[in-house]
Amino acid sequence: MAAGTDDGRTTPGTDVVPRAMPVPAPPPGVTDVLRRSAQLGLGAIGLAGRAAGSVFARVPDPGGDAPDAEPGIAALLPGAVLGIAIEAEKRASAVVDSMAAHSTGVVRAVGKPAIVQRALRPLEDRLWHWNELARREQHRNQAQASALIPVIVQQVTENVIAQLDFVRIVEQIPIDDIAASIDVEAIVQRIDLGGVIRESTASLTMETVDAVRSQGIGVDEWTARVVDRVLLRKRPRNTGFDKQ
Amino acid sequence: MKEIRSERSREAQGQRAGFVSQAIGAGLDAAAIFALDFAALAVFGFLRFLLTDKSYAFPQPGPFLNFVILFVIGVALLWTAWSGSGRAPGMAVLGLRVVGRDGRRLSSRRAFWRAVLGVLTLGLGVLWVLVSKKNKSLYDIVCGSAVVYDWRASLPTGLPDSRQNQ
């Protein structure tokens, strides 16, 4: 949009350039994201290692007839490596935090003079351009990811189900033991059978009575119509109450 | 309370009942009165058998005494029923209720005179419902009452207050 005369010409120096909206910042800072990602990653590695150990323990090793070696100092290595990684992650996070805190003040002080701001203007424009590009592209990327995730989950679930032997699983359920542990008498005692029978009987009786009464109303109306016709009445009977 | 399924029957609730329903209700009430009369005579005969040396025999009162017994039982039964719940036994079966002219509970005085008139005329005053434009029986006209469909235990609501029935 350009401000100008009616013939479409624009006046120099009056162009209004709309500014793009910045991408909303994520709730946690970048360093927080990195730190939590690292922590989660290390946790996931630990869980994966433990799960792999459990799985391998259940699968027989064809060549593993030899007796297991005595656990020595080598057994501590995986844990130690993990500890080093955690320590490194903590220190890296501290360094990043420190740098971010100091750089903010320095950038603010350096960027204050007008000449610096003017010099940085092309850079800022470029940053805005990239920001707008990221905003547009990120929408599309997120939509694609949202569409893809259910497909992946479904595919994985179907593959897992296909691997399961349901007959074997059901056979392993101790149905007889479960049935034996159920106290049928206690359950029956907790159910008010008399009340259920009473309620259903009363309901049935009431429906029958209602049907008879409904027939009575029909016969009443029919009788009134016949008598009114014999008496040459045009208007129907007023069976309501008069407002007083 | 179970809801009334039929829409026509739902709409009829609170309206003045027609001839057939009122006549059957009156007939059932008469049957209840005769049953009570029979039971009273049977109890009397049994007590007489217990307390005297006479052998058991069903009492055979004369016509006048029998009429008096029926009158007393009938008035007592209908009076208490109409001034209380508004339902005598026969009417309760058909889902009818006797109310005042304004749709509220019938006063004890009006219920008494309605019962007296009903027993003396053997319930034949119901015949007037056939020709009444408002389904009123002779008793309704004289005593300022009305017989309405009321299948569930509730009086018609939303009617204005009136002293006419007091």
PDB file of all heavy atoms in Angstrom, chain A residues 170-193:
ATOM      1  N   VAL A 170      -4.118 -65.271  25.474  1.00  0.00           N
ATOM      2  CA  VAL A 170      -5.375 -65.616  26.149  1.00  0.00           C
ATOM      3  C   VAL A 170      -5.213 -66.917  26.936  1.00  0.00           C
ATOM      4  O   VAL A 170      -5.747 -67.063  28.046  1.00  0.00           O
ATOM      5  CB  VAL A 170      -6.513 -65.734  25.109  1.00  0.00           C
ATOM      6  CG1 VAL A 170      -7.767 -66.305  25.753  1.00  0.00           C
ATOM      7  CG2 VAL A 170      -6.811 -64.377  24.508  1.00  0.00           C
ATOM      8  N   GLU A 171      -4.456 -67.851  26.350  1.00  0.00           N
ATOM      9  CA  GLU A 171      -4.247 -69.121  27.050  1.00  0.00           C
ATOM     10  C   GLU A 171      -3.505 -68.930  28.369  1.00  0.00           C
ATOM     11  O   GLU A 171      -3.661 -69.713  29.307  1.00  0.00           O
ATOM     12  CB  GLU A 171      -3.445 -70.074  26.150  1.00  0.00           C
ATOM     13  CG  GLU A 171      -4.311 -70.741  25.080  1.00  0.00           C
ATOM     14  CD  GLU A 171      -3.465 -71.578  24.136  1.00  0.00           C
ATOM     15  OE1 GLU A 171      -2.220 -71.519  24.239  1.00  0.00           O
ATOM     16  OE2 GLU A 171      -4.052 -72.289  23.302  1.00  0.00           O
ATOM     17  N   GLN A 172      -2.690 -67.883  28.430  1.00  0.00           N
ATOM     18  CA  GLN A 172      -1.905 -67.654  29.652  1.00  0.00           C
ATOM     19  C   GLN A 172      -2.725 -66.984  30.752  1.00  0.00           C
ATOM     20  O   GLN A 172      -2.263 -66.885  31.886  1.00  0.00           O
ATOM     21  CB  GLN A 172      -0.691 -66.784  29.322  1.00  0.00           C
ATOM     22  CG  GLN A 172       0.354 -67.566  28.527  1.00  0.00           C
ATOM     23  CD  GLN A 172       1.566 -66.718  28.209  1.00  0.00           C
ATOM     24  OE1 GLN A 172       1.542 -65.517  28.385  1.00  0.00           O
ATOM     25  NE2 GLN A 172       2.626 -67.357  27.741  1.00  0.00           N
ATOM     26  N   ILE A 173      -3.919 -66.486  30.412  1.00  0.00           N
ATOM     27  CA  ILE A 173      -4.748 -65.838  31.441  1.00  0.00           C
ATOM     28  C   ILE A 173      -5.400 -66.919  32.300  1.00  0.00           C
ATOM     29  O   ILE A 173      -6.102 -67.789  31.780  1.00  0.00           O
ATOM     30  CB  ILE A 173      -5.837 -64.962  30.782  1.00  0.00           C
ATOM     31  CG1 ILE A 173      -5.173 -63.844  29.979  1.00  0.00           C
ATOM     32  CG2 ILE A 173      -6.774 -64.372  31.838  1.00  0.00           C
ATOM     33  CD1 ILE A 173      -6.147 -63.020  29.165  1.00  0.00           C
ATOM     34  N   PRO A 174      -5.197 -66.901  33.595  1.00  0.00           N
ATOM     35  CA  PRO A 174      -5.764 -67.946  34.471  1.00  0.00           C
ATOM     36  C   PRO A 174      -7.246 -67.704  34.757  1.00  0.00           C
ATOM     37  O   PRO A 174      -7.617 -67.241  35.837  1.00  0.00           O
ATOM     38  CB  PRO A 174      -4.921 -67.821  35.739  1.00  0.00           C
ATOM     39  CG  PRO A 174      -4.500 -66.396  35.764  1.00  0.00           C
ATOM     40  CD  PRO A 174      -4.382 -65.937  34.348  1.00  0.00           C
ATOM     41  N   ILE A 175      -8.061 -68.028  33.740  1.00  0.00           N
ATOM     42  CA  ILE A 175      -9.500 -67.743  33.856  1.00  0.00           C
ATOM     43  C   ILE A 175     -10.125 -68.530  35.009  1.00  0.00           C
ATOM     44  O   ILE A 175     -10.959 -68.016  35.761  1.00  0.00           O
ATOM     45  CB  ILE A 175     -10.203 -68.073  32.522  1.00  0.00           C
ATOM     46  CG1 ILE A 175      -9.711 -67.115  31.442  1.00  0.00           C
ATOM     47  CG2 ILE A 175     -11.723 -67.959  32.672  1.00  0.00           C
ATOM     48  CD1 ILE A 175     -10.214 -67.424  30.069  1.00  0.00           C
ATOM     49  N   ASP A 176      -9.697 -69.802  35.150  1.00  0.00           N
ATOM     50  CA  ASP A 176     -10.274 -70.623  36.214  1.00  0.00           C
ATOM     51  C   ASP A 176      -9.969 -70.041  37.594  1.00  0.00           C
ATOM     52  O   ASP A 176     -10.836 -69.999  38.472  1.00  0.00           O
ATOM     53  CB  ASP A 176      -9.718 -72.048  36.115  1.00  0.00           C
ATOM     54  CG  ASP A 176     -10.244 -72.743  34.867  1.00  0.00           C
ATOM     55  OD1 ASP A 176     -11.310 -72.310  34.371  1.00  0.00           O
ATOM     56  OD2 ASP A 176      -9.593 -73.679  34.391  1.00  0.00           O
ATOM     57  N   ASP A 177      -8.732 -69.582  37.767  1.00  0.00           N
ATOM     58  CA  ASP A 177      -8.366 -68.989  39.063  1.00  0.00           C
ATOM     59  C   ASP A 177      -9.172 -67.718  39.331  1.00  0.00           C
ATOM     60  O   ASP A 177      -9.626 -67.474  40.455  1.00  0.00           O
ATOM     61  CB  ASP A 177      -6.863 -68.662  39.076  1.00  0.00           C
ATOM     62  CG  ASP A 177      -6.044 -69.941  39.026  1.00  0.00           C
ATOM     63  OD1 ASP A 177      -6.630 -71.014  39.301  1.00  0.00           O
ATOM     64  OD2 ASP A 177      -4.853 -69.873  38.704  1.00  0.00           O
ATOM     65  N   ILE A 178      -9.325 -66.906  38.263  1.00  0.00           N
ATOM     66  CA  ILE A 178     -10.082 -65.656  38.431  1.00  0.00           C
ATOM     67  C   ILE A 178     -11.529 -65.976  38.789  1.00  0.00           C
ATOM     68  O   ILE A 178     -12.113 -65.378  39.708  1.00  0.00           O
ATOM     69  CB  ILE A 178     -10.010 -64.817  37.137  1.00  0.00           C
ATOM     70  CG1 ILE A 178      -8.577 -64.347  36.894  1.00  0.00           C
ATOM     71  CG2 ILE A 178     -10.954 -63.621  37.230  1.00  0.00           C
ATOM     72  CD1 ILE A 178      -8.366 -63.704  35.549  1.00  0.00           C
ATOM     73  N   ALA A 179     -12.124 -66.936  38.066  1.00  0.00           N
ATOM     74  CA  ALA A 179     -13.522 -67.297  38.335  1.00  0.00           C
ATOM     75  C   ALA A 179     -13.678 -67.849  39.747  1.00  0.00           C
ATOM     76  O   ALA A 179     -14.668 -67.571  40.432  1.00  0.00           O
ATOM     77  CB  ALA A 179     -13.999 -68.319  37.311  1.00  0.00           C
ATOM     78  N   ALA A 180     -12.660 -68.647  40.181  1.00  0.00           N
ATOM     79  CA  ALA A 180     -12.740 -69.223  41.528  1.00  0.00           C
ATOM     80  C   ALA A 180     -12.644 -68.148  42.608  1.00  0.00           C
ATOM     81  O   ALA A 180     -13.195 -68.296  43.701  1.00  0.00           O
ATOM     82  CB  ALA A 180     -11.630 -70.254  41.704  1.00  0.00           C
ATOM     83  N   SER A 181     -11.926 -67.069  42.301  1.00  0.00           N
ATOM     84  CA  SER A 181     -11.745 -66.031  43.323  1.00  0.00           C
ATOM     85  C   SER A 181     -12.957 -65.101  43.428  1.00  0.00           C
ATOM     86  O   SER A 181     -13.029 -64.279  44.325  1.00  0.00           O
ATOM     87  CB  SER A 181     -10.507 -65.198  42.995  1.00  0.00           C
ATOM     88  OG  SER A 181     -10.724 -64.492  41.792  1.00  0.00           O
ATOM     89  N   ILE A 182     -13.889 -65.193  42.462  1.00  0.00           N
ATOM     90  CA  ILE A 182     -15.065 -64.309  42.506  1.00  0.00           C
ATOM     91  C   ILE A 182     -16.088 -64.882  43.483  1.00  0.00           C
ATOM     92  O   ILE A 182     -16.491 -66.039  43.375  1.00  0.00           O
ATOM     93  CB  ILE A 182     -15.688 -64.168  41.096  1.00  0.00           C
ATOM     94  CG1 ILE A 182     -14.709 -63.470  40.161  1.00  0.00           C
ATOM     95  CG2 ILE A 182     -16.994 -63.378  41.168  1.00  0.00           C
ATOM     96  CD1 ILE A 182     -15.168 -63.434  38.725  1.00  0.00           C
ATOM     97  N   ASP A 183     -16.508 -64.051  44.420  1.00  0.00           N
ATOM     98  CA  ASP A 183     -17.495 -64.474  45.406  1.00  0.00           C
ATOM     99  C   ASP A 183     -18.890 -64.135  44.866  1.00  0.00           C
ATOM    100  O   ASP A 183     -19.399 -63.026  45.041  1.00  0.00           O
ATOM    101  CB  ASP A 183     -17.243 -63.737  46.731  1.00  0.00           C
ATOM    102  CG  ASP A 183     -18.092 -64.323  47.847  1.00  0.00           C
ATOM    103  OD1 ASP A 183     -18.955 -65.180  47.538  1.00  0.00           O
ATOM    104  OD2 ASP A 183     -17.896 -63.932  49.009  1.00  0.00           O
ATOM    105  N   VAL A 184     -19.452 -65.115  44.177  1.00  0.00           N
ATOM    106  CA  VAL A 184     -20.745 -64.877  43.518  1.00  0.00           C
ATOM    107  C   VAL A 184     -21.830 -64.544  44.546  1.00  0.00           C
ATOM    108  O   VAL A 184     -22.671 -63.664  44.337  1.00  0.00           O
ATOM    109  CB  VAL A 184     -21.150 -66.118  42.689  1.00  0.00           C
ATOM    110  CG1 VAL A 184     -22.483 -65.873  41.993  1.00  0.00           C
ATOM    111  CG2 VAL A 184     -20.081 -66.433  41.656  1.00  0.00           C
ATOM    112  N   GLU A 185     -21.785 -65.244  45.668  1.00  0.00           N
ATOM    113  CA  GLU A 185     -22.828 -65.015  46.678  1.00  0.00           C
ATOM    114  C   GLU A 185     -22.795 -63.577  47.195  1.00  0.00           C
ATOM    115  O   GLU A 185     -23.835 -62.938  47.392  1.00  0.00           O
ATOM    116  CB  GLU A 185     -22.652 -65.991  47.835  1.00  0.00           C
ATOM    117  CG  GLU A 185     -23.060 -67.418  47.466  1.00  0.00           C
ATOM    118  CD  GLU A 185     -23.009 -68.345  48.667  1.00  0.00           C
ATOM    119  OE1 GLU A 185     -22.790 -67.821  49.777  1.00  0.00           O
ATOM    120  OE2 GLU A 185     -23.170 -69.558  48.480  1.00  0.00           O
ATOM    121  N   ALA A 186     -21.557 -63.078  47.406  1.00  0.00           N
ATOM    122  CA  ALA A 186     -21.443 -61.698  47.892  1.00  0.00           C
ATOM    123  C   ALA A 186     -21.986 -60.719  46.868  1.00  0.00           C
ATOM    124  O   ALA A 186     -22.656 -59.732  47.221  1.00  0.00           O
ATOM    125  CB  ALA A 186     -19.976 -61.373  48.184  1.00  0.00           C
ATOM    126  N   ILE A 187     -21.716 -60.998  45.590  1.00  0.00           N
ATOM    127  CA  ILE A 187     -22.226 -60.101  44.538  1.00  0.00           C
ATOM    128  C   ILE A 187     -23.745 -60.134  44.511  1.00  0.00           C
ATOM    129  O   ILE A 187     -24.404 -59.088  44.418  1.00  0.00           O
ATOM    130  CB  ILE A 187     -21.647 -60.523  43.164  1.00  0.00           C
ATOM    131  CG1 ILE A 187     -20.135 -60.284  43.148  1.00  0.00           C
ATOM    132  CG2 ILE A 187     -22.321 -59.750  42.037  1.00  0.00           C
ATOM    133  CD1 ILE A 187     -19.441 -60.838  41.936  1.00  0.00           C
ATOM    134  N   VAL A 188     -24.299 -61.344  44.602  1.00  0.00           N
ATOM    135  CA  VAL A 188     -25.763 -61.473  44.565  1.00  0.00           C
ATOM    136  C   VAL A 188     -26.389 -60.756  45.760  1.00  0.00           C
ATOM    137  O   VAL A 188     -27.432 -60.110  45.654  1.00  0.00           O
ATOM    138  CB  VAL A 188     -26.163 -62.963  44.534  1.00  0.00           C
ATOM    139  CG1 VAL A 188     -27.664 -63.125  44.748  1.00  0.00           C
ATOM    140  CG2 VAL A 188     -25.769 -63.583  43.214  1.00  0.00           C
ATOM    141  N   GLN A 189     -25.688 -60.865  46.916  1.00  0.00           N
ATOM    142  CA  GLN A 189     -26.221 -60.204  48.110  1.00  0.00           C
ATOM    143  C   GLN A 189     -26.235 -58.692  47.955  1.00  0.00           C
ATOM    144  O   GLN A 189     -27.101 -58.008  48.492  1.00  0.00           O
ATOM    145  CB  GLN A 189     -25.396 -60.592  49.328  1.00  0.00           C
ATOM    146  CG  GLN A 189     -25.800 -61.966  49.873  1.00  0.00           C
ATOM    147  CD  GLN A 189     -24.969 -62.349  51.080  1.00  0.00           C
ATOM    148  OE1 GLN A 189     -24.001 -61.662  51.415  1.00  0.00           O
ATOM    149  NE2 GLN A 189     -25.317 -63.452  51.707  1.00  0.00           N
ATOM    150  N   ARG A 190     -25.255 -58.183  47.203  1.00  0.00           N
ATOM    151  CA  ARG A 190     -25.191 -56.727  47.030  1.00  0.00           C
ATOM    152  C   ARG A 190     -26.249 -56.234  46.047  1.00  0.00           C
ATOM    153  O   ARG A 190     -26.570 -55.056  46.021  1.00  0.00           O
ATOM    154  CB  ARG A 190     -23.806 -56.319  46.543  1.00  0.00           C
ATOM    155  CG  ARG A 190     -22.767 -56.493  47.634  1.00  0.00           C
ATOM    156  CD  ARG A 190     -21.395 -56.215  47.125  1.00  0.00           C
ATOM    157  NE  ARG A 190     -21.222 -54.827  46.753  1.00  0.00           N
ATOM    158  CZ  ARG A 190     -20.082 -54.339  46.281  1.00  0.00           C
ATOM    159  NH1 ARG A 190     -19.041 -55.120  46.138  1.00  0.00           N
ATOM    160  NH2 ARG A 190     -19.992 -53.071  45.959  1.00  0.00           N
ATOM    161  N   ILE A 191     -26.755 -57.136  45.201  1.00  0.00           N
ATOM    162  CA  ILE A 191     -27.792 -56.731  44.244  1.00  0.00           C
ATOM    163  C   ILE A 191     -29.157 -56.896  44.914  1.00  0.00           C
ATOM    164  O   ILE A 191     -29.478 -57.956  45.440  1.00  0.00           O
ATOM    165  CB  ILE A 191     -27.723 -57.593  42.968  1.00  0.00           C
ATOM    166  CG1 ILE A 191     -26.374 -57.406  42.283  1.00  0.00           C
ATOM    167  CG2 ILE A 191     -28.848 -57.215  42.016  1.00  0.00           C
ATOM    168  CD1 ILE A 191     -26.141 -58.354  41.140  1.00  0.00           C
ATOM    169  N   ASP A 192     -29.939 -55.837  44.865  1.00  0.00           N
ATOM    170  CA  ASP A 192     -31.273 -55.875  45.457  1.00  0.00           C
ATOM    171  C   ASP A 192     -32.234 -56.493  44.438  1.00  0.00           C
ATOM    172  O   ASP A 192     -32.965 -55.780  43.733  1.00  0.00           O
ATOM    173  CB  ASP A 192     -31.694 -54.454  45.842  1.00  0.00           C
ATOM    174  CG  ASP A 192     -33.050 -54.445  46.533  1.00  0.00           C
ATOM    175  OD1 ASP A 192     -33.520 -55.540  46.908  1.00  0.00           O
ATOM    176  OD2 ASP A 192     -33.622 -53.356  46.693  1.00  0.00           O
ATOM    177  N   LEU A 193     -32.190 -57.834  44.360  1.00  0.00           N
ATOM    178  CA  LEU A 193     -33.020 -58.515  43.365  1.00  0.00           C
ATOM    179  C   LEU A 193     -34.503 -58.241  43.603  1.00  0.00           C
ATOM    180  O   LEU A 193     -35.265 -58.038  42.662  1.00  0.00           O
ATOM    181  CB  LEU A 193     -32.753 -60.022  43.416  1.00  0.00           C
ATOM    182  CG  LEU A 193     -31.543 -60.510  42.616  1.00  0.00           C
ATOM    183  CD1 LEU A 193     -31.378 -62.009  42.809  1.00  0.00           C
ATOM    184  CD2 LEU A 193     -31.684 -60.185  41.156  1.00  0.00           C
TER     185      LEU A 193
END
